[in-house]
Amino acid sequence: MSKATLDGKAIALEDAYKEAARILSGATFPLVAGLGADVPGARAAILLAERLRGAFDHLASRDSLADLDVKRSFGMFTTTANEARVRSDVVVLLGPGLTKQWPGMLERLALEQAPRHGSQAGQPRKVIWVGPEAGEAAAVPGARIIPASLREISGLLATWRARVGGRRVAMDAARLELVDGVAQTLKDAKFGCFVWASSIGLDPLAIEMMQALVTDLNVTTRFTGVHIGARAGAGGVTQAAGWMTGFPPRTGFGRGYPEHDPWRFEASRLVDSGEADAALWISAFDGEAPAWSRKDIPLVTLAPAGAAPARGLYIEVGQPGVTHDAVLMAQETGGLTLRAATAPSDAPTVAHVIDAILANVSEVAPC
């Protein structure tokens, strides 16, 4: 059976649903945050934010928006991991910790194998890894390692882009020879691919410079990218938010219709400024806690067993894809996928709990 606590003391589930409704519907501007949930959970959470005329934000929205900002302002070439695996003859991995962001990356991309389709089928694949963590590239024999910090990646990409375009750069002859070697490798690719994750701290400028380089290369060859999505179901939540409101997270309903503003509706800012006067925090994957400076905001937390906070109202929920079947964005295919439960239990889903809260909101909400 699922459990609930109020300031650390056990409370009946039905009483917990009513208390959550009281806290959230009694606020002037409630916040639905964290949003670490599967697609059904995200849909329920967004409907709750709309009913309450509050706002919603995802705990990894900074990472998601770094990519979305580039896509909206500049454009973006992307493909699926499978397409990169079977066709790419040149793969450039950008930054450290990619295997932590996507543990199955090396197995899925099979970088040590030759591409199976296209004009380079059967030919050795060329792999370049910019700034990997120590030992991270050991599983990719023959990969060319280019040392660089996260801050240096933007400049490095800009230099490659300049040389691909035949423009001059200011550097000594030895470094220029190395840069020109990479530039020629990129130009000679028949199906090249960049792999990146904004969640490692890659800034939007680096992502935009990478996509600008891809655009330049596509004048004469074929280049694209594989994006590693943010944590806690961010990809599926962003998709759900898009088809429900037309916008990604950091969207509010204060005026009765959805408004997207990445600054105004950022969860930490709303809480720490006092603009949000109650919050529902959802972190169903691993129980990650909010990193807000303000600790006295009335708080309702939905998280797995063992993640109960000492303060506020807590309702236990199951883990998507673990305790119950879940629809999630699959990194492997780039689409929404049903993940069967690996350890089924009777813990309620986020969608179930929010539906129960919503049923009580309709009773206590003012007309």
Side-chain angles (χ1 to χ4, degrees), residues 65 67-76 246-248 260 262:
L65 289 172
D67 294 306
L68 280 173
D69 285 348
V70 174
K71 187 177 292 187
R72 290 187 287 196
S73 64
F74 182 80
M76 187 173 285
F247 301 112
H260 174 63

Side-chain angles (χ1 to χ4, degrees), residues 3-28:
K3 68 178 182 180
T5 61
L6 180 59
D7 293 330
K9 297 180 180 179
I11 181 175
L13 272 179
E14 287 303 320
D15 292 337
Y17 298 148
K18 292 176 182 177
E19 179 65 8
R22 185 193 67 78
I23 292 170
L24 297 171
S25 61
T28 301

Side-chain angles (χ1 to χ4, degrees), residues 34-352:
L35 261 180
D38 57 5
V39 170
R43 293 183 66 224
I46 293 168
L47 287 172
L48 178 62
E50 182 181 27
R51 173 83 63 85
L52 296 169
R53 290 205 172 189
F56 68 91
D57 188 16
H58 190 276
L59 58 88
S61 59
R62 188 213 70 83
D63 303 327
S64 299
L65 289 172
D67 294 306
L68 280 173
D69 285 348
V70 174
K71 187 177 292 187
R72 290 187 287 196
S73 64
F74 182 80
M76 187 173 285
F77 287 93
T78 59
T79 191
T80 63
N82 251 15
E83 190 73 358
R85 173 190 179 119
V86 301
R87 292 188 182 278
S88 60
D89 58 322
V90 174
V91 177
V92 183
L93 302 113
L94 293 178
L98 296 182
T99 54
K100 292 179 181 177
Q101 302 304 316
W102 182 15
M105 181 187 78
L106 296 179
E107 179 183 3
R108 175 60 60 168
L109 294 179
L111 297 175
E112 74 285 358
Q113 299 177 12
R116 301 201 305 267
H117 298 300
S119 61
Q120 297 300 103
Q123 300 299 313
R125 195 192 314 264
K126 296 178 181 178
V127 180
I128 300 170
W129 200 324
V130 180
E133 290 183 348
E136 189 174 30
V140 190
R144 179 176 180 179
I145 309 303
I146 299 180
S149 68
L150 276 172
R151 291 184 177 181
E152 293 172 328
I153 289 178
S154 295
L156 182 64
L157 290 167
T159 303
W160 288 355
R161 187 184 180 201
R163 296 308 290 167
V164 164
R167 296 182 292 276
R168 298 176 62 183
V169 295
M171 59 177 54
D172 60 66
R175 288 180 61 203
L176 182 61
E177 184 178 358
L178 293 174
V179 167
D180 282 349
V182 172
Q184 193 60 51
T185 297
L186 300 180
K187 290 194 292 184
D188 290 343
K190 303 302 180 185
F191 189 105
C193 180
F194 282 94
V195 181
W196 85 97
S198 55
S199 48
I200 65 173
L202 206 61
D203 62 77
L205 179 61
I207 299 168
E208 183 171 332
M209 186 57 68
M210 173 196 65
Q211 286 295 326
L213 176 54
V214 168
T215 299
D216 292 349
L217 288 163
N218 274 321
V219 173
T220 56
T221 185
R222 191 176 179 188
F223 239 91
T224 186
V226 170
H227 164 239
I228 300 176
R231 68 192 190 283
V237 172
T238 300
Q239 291 290 325
W243 75 60
M244 292 177 72
T245 69
F247 301 112
R250 297 193 181 175
T251 292
F253 297 96
R255 302 185 194 191
Y257 53 86
E259 296 178 282
H260 174 63
D261 190 318
W263 177 82
R264 186 156 49 116
F265 298 120
E266 194 272 322
S268 293
R269 196 200 68 79
L270 284 171
V271 172
D272 294 340
S273 69
E275 292 170 56
D277 53 347
L280 171 64
W281 176 262
I282 305 166
S283 183
F285 289 93
D286 56 11
E288 179 178 345
W292 306 328
S293 299
R294 182 183 167 200
K295 304 300 182 184
D296 62 345
I297 184 171
L299 181 65
V300 180
T301 299
L302 307 187
R311 186 189 68 81
L313 177 63
Y314 162 74
I315 302 175
E316 179 187 326
V317 294
Q319 295 173 279
V322 178
T323 63
H324 59 273
D325 297 347
V327 177
L328 300 166
M329 180 66 75
Q331 181 65 55
E332 299 86 350
T333 62
L336 296 176
T337 301
L338 177 65
R339 299 287 195 192
T342 57
S345 81
D346 60 359
T349 66
V350 168
H352 174 87

